Amino acid sequence: MPRFLHLADVHLGFDKYGTVQRTRDFYEAFNDALTQYAVHPAVDFVLISGDLFEYRQVLPSVLNQAKLCLGRLSEAGIPVFAIEGNHDYRPYGTRTSWLRYLADWDYLILLEPDEEGRLVPWSAETKSGGYFDLDCGVRVIGSQWYGAAAPLAIQTLAQQIDRLPPGPEHTVMMFHHGLEGYVSRYAGALRYQDFLPLREAGIDYLALGHIHRAYSVEDWIYNPGSIEANSIIENQEQNPRGVYWVEIDRSGVTAQLKRTYRQRPIYRLSYRLTAQQTRTEFVNAVNALVQTHAEQGRTQSAIVELKITGNAGFDRFEINLREWQGQLQQCTQALIFLLKYEVTAVEYETYIDQADHLPPRLEIERTIFQDFVAAHAQYRDQAEFFSQGLIDLKHQILSQAPDADLYQFVETLLQPQSPSSQEAPSLISPPEPSS
């Protein structure tokens, strides 16, 4: 019974979020997945359905990571078959790539149609070809990255598969593209009927890549998702991903999604702000939420996102978000802490009926000041008091009162209305306003 490991979207060299450790995460996930599910116990072969690398231009250290992982499979006598994805395919007119380099040095077998688009048997002399027949009873067929031309390419490939000479009992094919309905933000995904010509041509297992979450359809189309999360939205709870460990026989395909290899944990927290909360109440509530998760040990060394939404009854610049983010990261001991502040400022607009006539100028002025003050939760209950104070202040300015008198007036106006101080949770102090 043939057994193989299907993985895709390894993205070695990933370097987002500004930390070298994230680049190493992708190597460690790749290495651990191969160790657990390809080497011990050994499979007959391994499939990489595109995007082994994050970039076409590969750093020496990243190339070394690929060679270390693939070299272990070579030492174990496990062949690796790969195709190019949209991240690592060779540009038009270019004859080589880093995947071609790895193939020339026997780290993997790169399966792809020839320059005329034909599927020819893989040759040990040229180290190239479109398909490979294994002694374990499986024919493996490769393809390329076709982009928008994928539907037409599938029809052409299906016709060529029909014309191939008889081979092993089972046929597996690698194809780097997505199926519609599995990622809402992905445009250009193929319909299920676009893949049907391959089924009719005798493909028993279609090994997809490109979409970073796992899915399977009709017991013949399989996509394992990315090895490691490329972004915060690819957390395992909402977007399961991993590698497929597969057995295939006359009764069909048995594919198990394996997810317990080394991966960086991701946690997404959320908080909804209400317009009634003061700045201090809001900061204390968020600090308490984050501290609770930190005390549970869930956030240590993880990637943590805190998304804050809702309506703010205070000015955005009353909080130094960068300083606060640093405090929260220190509290959680997270590798990366992302603070998304997507809050709408509250605005008050008093309706004025203009059917007969406008109210006096002083009344309009008072209403505007009240709306302005009421937008701040800390002073909302005293909006009428402060609006009168602002009117008085304006008159003093227009009468050219001395600066010292103006400052004394403002100090007297604010002093009786100052809110009582509140203590934040012990691990985090409220950040100072932005300068």
Side-chain angles (χ1 to χ4, degrees), residues 27-292:
Y27 158 69
E28 292 176 347
F30 185 40
N31 184 59
D32 194 29
L34 293 178
T35 299
Q36 290 194 45
Y37 308 121
V39 178
H40 304 297
V43 295
D44 295 300
F45 59 94
V46 172
L47 303 179
I48 303 178
S49 297
D51 286 354
L52 175 61
F53 296 112
E54 171 71 7
Y55 302 110
R56 296 176 194 168
Q57 302 298 325
V58 179
L59 293 174
S61 59
V62 176
L63 181 62
N64 189 52
Q65 290 174 351
K67 292 168 69 174
L68 286 172
C69 293
L70 298 174
R72 294 185 60 222
L73 296 175
S74 178
E75 292 174 358
I78 302 172
V80 179
F81 300 97
I83 60 172
E84 293 178 341
N86 57 303
H87 277 251
D88 46 26
Y89 82 102
R90 72 198 72 176
Y92 180 78
T94 304
R95 300 183 62 87
T96 189
S97 68
W98 286 110
L99 282 183
R100 170 47 55 194
Y101 166 85
L102 292 172
D104 288 344
W105 286 91
D106 296 322
Y107 284 99
L108 55 78
I109 296 173
L110 182 61
L111 294 179
E112 58 186 352
D114 63 14
E115 293 181 355
E116 298 181 8
R118 299 173 302 181
L119 290 175
V120 298
W122 186 82
S123 167
E125 295 182 0
T126 63
K127 298 181 181 179
S128 63
Y131 68 94
F132 193 106
D133 290 342
L134 288 158
D135 293 337
C136 64
V138 176
R139 168 174 286 175
V140 181
I141 301 175
S143 62
Q144 295 173 321
W145 166 248
Y146 298 100
L152 180 60
I154 287 175
Q155 296 181 25
T156 301
L157 289 167
Q159 294 171 2
Q160 293 194 53
I161 294 171
D162 278 331
R163 294 195 293 266
L164 292 180
E169 183 177 2
H170 308 292
T171 304
V172 172
M173 182 176 184
M174 294 179 288
F175 199 86
H176 193 80
H177 218 293
L179 180 63
E180 68 177 5
Y182 289 94
V183 178
S184 58
R185 62 188 175 88
Y186 170 50
L190 300 181
R191 302 168 300 169
Y192 177 74
Q193 50 264 42
D194 292 328
F195 286 111
L196 281 179
L198 298 176
R199 181 64 160 173
E200 295 167 355
I203 300 300
D204 300 303
Y205 185 101
L206 184 60
L208 295 183
H210 193 49
I211 300 299
H212 292 181
R213 62 164 297 180
Y215 61 85
S216 62
V217 181
E218 301 274 328
D219 293 328
W220 74 284
I221 297 178
Y222 292 88
N223 185 88
S226 56
I227 288 284
E228 174 61 284
N230 288 50
S231 69
I232 196 76
I233 64 174
E234 294 179 10
N235 60 315
Q236 282 281 22
E237 288 75 14
Q238 298 173 349
N239 295 279
R241 51 186 166 71
V243 298
Y244 273 119
W245 189 87
V246 186
E247 290 183 330
I248 185 170
D249 57 23
R250 292 182 180 179
S251 63
V253 171
T254 301
Q256 302 176 39
L257 183 66
K258 302 294 187 178
R259 304 168 54 188
T260 58
Y261 57 90
R262 180 179 181 132
Q263 298 181 62
R264 179 72 57 181
I266 295 176
Y267 292 103
R268 305 182 74 184
L269 309 177
S270 62
Y271 184 86
R272 185 163 186 84
L273 171 63
T274 65
Q276 290 71 37
Q277 290 177 285
T278 65
R279 165 190 171 272
T280 302
E281 291 170 343
F282 160 64
V283 170
N284 285 346
V286 172
N287 287 349
L289 169 68
V290 173
Q291 189 169 321
T292 296

Side-chain angles (χ1 to χ4, degrees), residues 289-358:
L289 169 68
V290 173
Q291 189 169 321
T292 296
H293 286 273
E295 290 172 349
Q296 294 172 353
R298 304 176 63 197
T299 61
Q300 186 174 3
S301 301
I303 300 173
V304 180
E305 177 195 71
L306 172 60
K307 184 176 182 179
I308 300 173
T309 59
N311 300 309
F314 49 84
D315 194 285
R316 146 71 177 84
F317 295 102
E318 291 185 38
I319 297 178
N320 188 325
L321 292 180
R322 178 173 295 184
E323 178 184 338
W324 195 21
Q325 179 176 344
Q327 293 175 355
L328 293 172
Q329 180 168 4
Q330 184 177 5
C331 170
T332 59
Q333 298 183 348
L335 175 68
I336 298 168
F337 192 98
L338 304 175
L339 178 59
K340 293 187 176 181
Y341 189 80
E342 301 176 1
V343 171
T344 303
V346 174
E347 295 183 1
Y348 280 78
E349 295 183 359
T350 301
Y351 174 73
I352 298 178
D353 187 358
Q354 302 182 24
D356 297 326
H357 62 277
L358 288 173

